[in-house]
Amino acid sequence: MDASIISAFAALTGATIGGLTSGVANWLNQRSQVRAQWLLHERKRRQILYRDFIEEASRCYIDALQHHDVGEGTAGLVAVYAKLNRMRVLSSRPVVRSAEYIAKTIMDTYLEPDKTFGELREMAKCGSIDLLREFSEACRKEFDEMHDRQL
């Protein structure tokens, strides 16, 4: 075999391998950038959903503690359940379970006798009024896991 053919074949092979390596590196880089952008978008989307759920559930829970009849609280309950169902599509199981517990507790609270301001104060002192703590912690854990996946 002629030395010039071997030399040309080696150069061609080197160029091919170099091109493939560059192409694969670009593809992997692009893929990781798209994934990072998607995770960032998903995190923001969930933050908004969780914030809205916390605000609506808080309003409904305080209303349920103070009013035996659902009455005007119906619109708030609808909003809570709408957000809960969105979470069933987007969120981890612990977040959904916690949100379901909150919605059930709010419904059950409407069936209990109204609380006086003094009773609400005592509930706040002992921490039993904080219905959303477990939910907040589940959300934080989910966000931490999303951050770990991004790295």
Side-chain angles (χ1 to χ4, degrees):
M1 200 173 246
D2 191 8
S4 62
I5 294 175
I6 292 173
S7 183
F9 182 70
L12 183 60
T13 303
T16 302
I17 290 173
L20 283 174
T21 303
S22 177
V24 168
N26 277 342
W27 176 75
L28 288 173
N29 186 32
Q30 181 68 23
R31 183 175 172 211
S32 69
Q33 285 179 355
V34 167
R35 180 167 171 74
Q37 288 174 345
W38 179 83
L39 283 170
L40 187 64
H41 173 74
E42 191 63 26
R43 181 183 174 106
K44 184 68 174 169
R45 185 175 168 192
R46 291 181 194 191
Q47 283 176 332
I48 292 167
L49 176 60
Y50 298 163
R51 179 200 64 205
D52 293 348
F53 179 81
I54 288 169
E55 290 173 359
E56 198 64 53
S58 297
R59 275 193 288 275
C60 285
Y61 185 53
I62 295 300
D63 184 64
L65 287 168
Q66 295 178 327
H67 300 97
H68 181 67
D69 185 24
V70 176
E72 295 176 12
T74 305
L77 284 172
V78 169
V80 165
Y81 275 95
K83 288 170 182 59
L84 169 60
N85 282 298
R86 285 182 58 206
M87 280 183 241
R88 285 186 176 126
V89 174
L90 299 172
S91 305
S92 65
R93 292 190 200 290
V95 170
V96 172
R97 271 195 304 273
S98 183
E100 288 171 339
Y101 171 77
I102 290 166
K104 181 186 176 301
T105 301
I106 292 170
M107 290 292 287
D108 292 345
T109 303
Y110 273 110
L111 300 174
E112 296 175 3
D114 295 349
K115 304 282 189 228
T116 65
F117 186 76
E119 290 171 320
L120 292 175
R121 184 172 179 260
E122 285 303 312
M123 289 175 72
K125 278 178 147 179
C126 72
S128 66
I129 201 166
D130 192 3
L131 178 64
L132 296 159
R133 179 181 301 270
E134 181 184 323
F135 176 77
S136 299
E137 290 171 1
C139 292
R140 168 66 56 204
K141 184 176 180 187
E142 183 181 81
F143 287 139
D144 289 346
E145 289 170 359
M146 287 177 79
H147 179 70
D148 291 345
R149 276 187 265 151
Q150 187 175 358
L151 299 176

